Amino acid sequence: MTEAIPTGARATARILLLNPHDRLLLLQAQNSAGNKWWVTPGGGLNKGESFEAAAQRELYEETGLLLPIGRWVWRRRHIYNWEGRRCDQYERFFVARTKEGSITPTQPDSYIFRHQWWSLSEIEQSREEFAPRRLALFLAPILCGDYPKTPIDCGI
C-alpha cells in the first residue's frame, strides 16, 4: 500500500518491537524542559530511503538489533513543538519481533535516556505519557495477531 507523505511533514519510521512474551520495547525521551514520555524506536528517513529500510536502520541504531521488519499497521501525523521550534512529523509504525531481551544501541539519540519492555497491562495501568497517547488501545489487537487490513491512524 502506498500513501502520500503530507506536504511539509518529516517522514518517520517507527517500530513496535515485541519480545517472545509480547512485551513492547519503549524508549523514554526527555526534552530540555524536563518533560518525559515513552516512544517506540524509530526516526526519520534518509533521502531516497524507504520506510521499511529506515525502520530497520533506526531499529539497529537504537537497539543494536538487526531484524526483519514486518507489517505496516499504523500511521500518525503529529505537529508539535520541540525545543522551541515547530515540528511536523508523519510516522508509519511497523511490527518486528525479537528473541533478544537486552539491547545495545549503536547510535542512541541524545534525548533518550532509558528503555523498558512493557506488557499491555503495564501500559494500561501506567500514568506515564506514551506516544501515541492511546498506545494500549491500538496495541491490544496487534498482540492478538489481529492486524488491520490497511494501516490505521493511531492518533497523537
Side-chain angles (χ1 to χ4, degrees), residues 54-113:
Q56 192 168 55
R57 176 184 51 76
E58 286 287 340
L59 185 63
Y60 179 72
E61 290 174 3
E62 296 181 0
T63 68
L65 301 173
L66 189 56
L67 300 168
I69 298 301
R71 197 154 157 196
W72 170 25
V73 292
W74 306 340
R75 69 180 181 285
R76 166 174 112 125
R77 185 168 187 192
H78 188 50
I79 299 172
Y80 59 97
N81 287 313
W82 175 258
E83 306 298 351
R85 71 179 194 281
R86 181 182 182 271
C87 298
D88 181 351
Q89 195 155 284
Y90 169 78
E91 301 173 335
R92 291 184 184 176
F93 290 78
F94 298 86
V95 177
R97 292 224 172 237
T98 182
K99 294 178 182 170
E100 300 296 321
S102 63
I103 66 167
T104 307
T106 62
Q107 293 180 8
D109 292 317
S110 61
Y111 59 89
I112 300 293
F113 66 97

